[in-house]
Amino acid sequence: MLDWVIGLLGSLLVAGAAYRKRSLSGSGAGAAVVVGTVLYALGNAAWFGTLLSFFITSSLLTKWKQRAKAMAEEHYEKTGRRDAGQVLANGGIAVLLCIGHAYVEHELWFVAFIGVMAAVTADTWATEIGGLSRSRPVSILTGKRVSPGTSGGITLLGLAASLAGGAMIGVAVFLFSGIGASEPYARFTTLLVLGVLSGGVGAWTDSLLGASWQNMNKCQSCGREVEGRHHCDQPTIYVRGVRFLNNDAVNAISSVAGGLCAILLWHALV
């Protein structure tokens, strides 16, 4: 019971601060409290600390140079304050893995968790930092130049950021898994490779889905192809992709890809 209380209080403190800083909406803060509490109560410092590392760094990057990223963000379905859908898309799979680990203990639950967190971090860092690239992105499918913020568009800066985000998760797991234990969960190099490669796979999956199957709409006013159902203060028109495959769904699928990659890598490295 004490772990649940500590997890709840810690999550309330972090989510409350994020809400005041306008990094989370009301629904996003509520979802963050649930996710954080479960990861601490059913997991440990490594589960909770890794999630916290993702959330803090991603929130800071979202706020960083917002004006410079404004053009790219006009294409996105959701920007600024994260709502419950975004929080669950990024942390929902992690919660399921933590629950699975609590009832059927096995190392692969945590390995998959590392991959999931590396994937969502890599994708977020690629979006937030890649949006500042001075060169126009190219489509991951065709290699042609596309407008900043176009789903499936990649830049060298964004690719570098995705690898850095995955590496950060590897470092976070190494540090937090040593808290209260005689030694970290695994060797530093192993965790670093897991983070970088799983993060890269997750980010690339996100870009591939964004360029091919993600639901995309057209603004009736400015004619831009955007993710959201509204743009320029009016409803958009569906133009391509799977209708139910919105940005949150793409993020969730990409995180699963990162988790599967981590499991395969673990068998190869350990």
Side-chain angles (χ1 to χ4, degrees):
M1 180 59 71
L2 181 60
D3 286 340
W4 285 98
V5 174
I6 295 175
L8 177 60
L9 293 177
S11 298
L12 282 171
L13 180 64
V14 174
Y19 178 77
R20 287 194 297 273
K21 292 292 184 179
R22 301 185 64 80
S23 294
L24 289 174
S25 66
S27 67
V33 169
V34 173
V35 171
T37 301
V38 172
L39 290 186
Y40 187 90
L42 296 183
N44 51 38
W47 292 81
F48 183 79
T50 302
L51 174 75
L52 197 61
S53 298
F54 155 72
F55 177 71
I56 291 176
T57 58
S58 298
S59 296
L60 291 175
L61 287 175
T62 298
K63 297 292 185 181
W64 182 48
K65 296 187 176 182
Q66 278 187 309
R67 291 184 179 180
K69 295 181 287 188
M71 181 180 295
E73 291 180 348
E74 288 183 359
H75 293 259
Y76 302 155
E77 180 180 3
K78 299 176 181 179
T79 60
R81 305 180 78 181
R82 290 177 169 83
D83 60 18
Q86 290 169 289
V87 171
L88 294 177
N90 290 324
I93 304 298
V95 168
L96 294 177
L97 292 170
C98 189
I99 293 173
H101 181 269
Y103 288 96
V104 183
E105 189 170 344
H106 195 284
E107 65 180 8
L108 290 184
W109 292 110
F110 188 63
V111 171
F113 168 76
I114 296 173
V116 165
M117 296 312 302
V120 298
T121 304
D123 178 54
T124 302
W125 282 35
T127 300
E128 299 299 343
I129 298 177
L132 297 171
S133 176
R134 294 182 179 180
S135 61
R136 289 179 62 191
V138 298
S139 169
I140 194 172
L141 289 181
T142 66
K144 295 181 179 180
R145 295 288 180 181
V146 294
S147 301
T150 300
S151 293
I154 59 175
T155 63
L156 288 177
L157 181 61
L159 290 175
S162 69
L163 298 179
M168 187 279 294
I169 289 298
V171 173
V173 172
F174 180 80
L175 295 175
F176 283 107
S177 65
I179 298 177
S182 58
E183 60 183 23
Y185 179 71
R187 292 183 302 173
F188 177 77
T189 52
T190 299
L191 293 174
L192 195 62
V193 170
L194 279 181
V196 171
L197 295 184
S198 298
V201 167
W204 274 75
T205 300
D206 187 279
S207 295
L208 286 169
L209 290 175
S212 56
W213 292 353
Q214 183 175 343
N215 176 83
M216 296 300 296
N217 306 295
K218 185 177 181 179
C219 178
Q220 299 183 67
S221 178
C222 67
R224 291 182 180 178
E225 189 174 280
V226 297
E227 298 175 355
R229 295 183 177 180
H230 290 81
H231 196 262
C232 294
D233 297 323
Q234 58 182 301
T236 54
I237 303 173
Y238 166 81
V239 291
R240 67 174 176 87
V242 181
R243 289 184 179 273
F244 68 84
L245 200 64
N246 63 4
N247 183 256
D248 289 340
V250 168
N251 287 341
I253 294 171
S254 301
S255 69
V256 171
L260 293 175
C261 177
I263 291 175
L264 293 176
L265 287 171
W266 183 261
H267 285 300
L269 296 173
V270 178

